Amino acid sequence: MPEATALLGDGVVTVPVKWGIGTRGARMIPPVRARELIEDGAKKSLANVGDLTPYDPGKPSEIKVEFKNTTDPAKLANRPGVEQVEPRTIVSLADDWWTAWRQFFF
């Protein structure tokens, strides 16, 4: 089951075009075919646009990110609202999702 379906329900349209086979490799559908599949998925999604409700992550919001190494979390750990909870994991807490996201990247 795609992660989007697990989070948003069966009505969400997904278009898998690559499958991870390791930390640096993937099997991919050739670009021309992938574009066709993505376009078909977009059309299907727009045809059902009224069937889904927007995702609400709730308030307050927590975003937890686990990195593959310790370099990136150490760079972000000193930002306001961000805490390094494990050597490769940081958490951003805020009143809402967008503020929690901004604490990581902006």
Side-chain angles (χ1 to χ4, degrees):
M1 170 184 296
E3 292 172 344
T5 304
L7 181 65
L8 302 173
D10 293 330
V12 69
V13 177
T14 62
V15 183
V17 294
K18 69 178 181 178
W19 295 265
I21 55 173
T23 57
R24 296 185 184 205
R27 302 245 351 175
M28 296 172 274
I29 294 174
V32 172
R33 179 68 181 135
R35 283 191 296 270
E36 292 169 352
L37 292 170
I38 292 167
E39 184 176 339
D40 290 345
K43 287 177 184 175
K44 183 189 274 187
S45 179
L46 290 171
N48 300 327
V49 74
D51 294 346
L52 294 175
T53 57
Y55 174 67
D56 180 2
K59 295 180 180 182
S61 188
E62 174 183 287
I63 300 173
K64 183 176 183 179
V65 178
E66 183 178 340
F67 291 84
K68 293 182 181 186
N69 60 52
T70 58
T71 305
D72 294 324
K75 291 178 189 175
L76 297 170
N78 295 323
R79 293 180 179 222
V82 176
E83 177 184 1
Q84 187 168 4
V85 295
E86 294 176 7
R88 296 183 304 130
T89 305
I90 56 176
V91 172
S92 177
L93 289 170
D95 290 336
D96 58 84
W97 184 89
W98 183 241
T99 302
W101 182 258
R102 282 195 335 245
Q103 290 173 165
F104 278 135
F105 297 108
F106 301 109

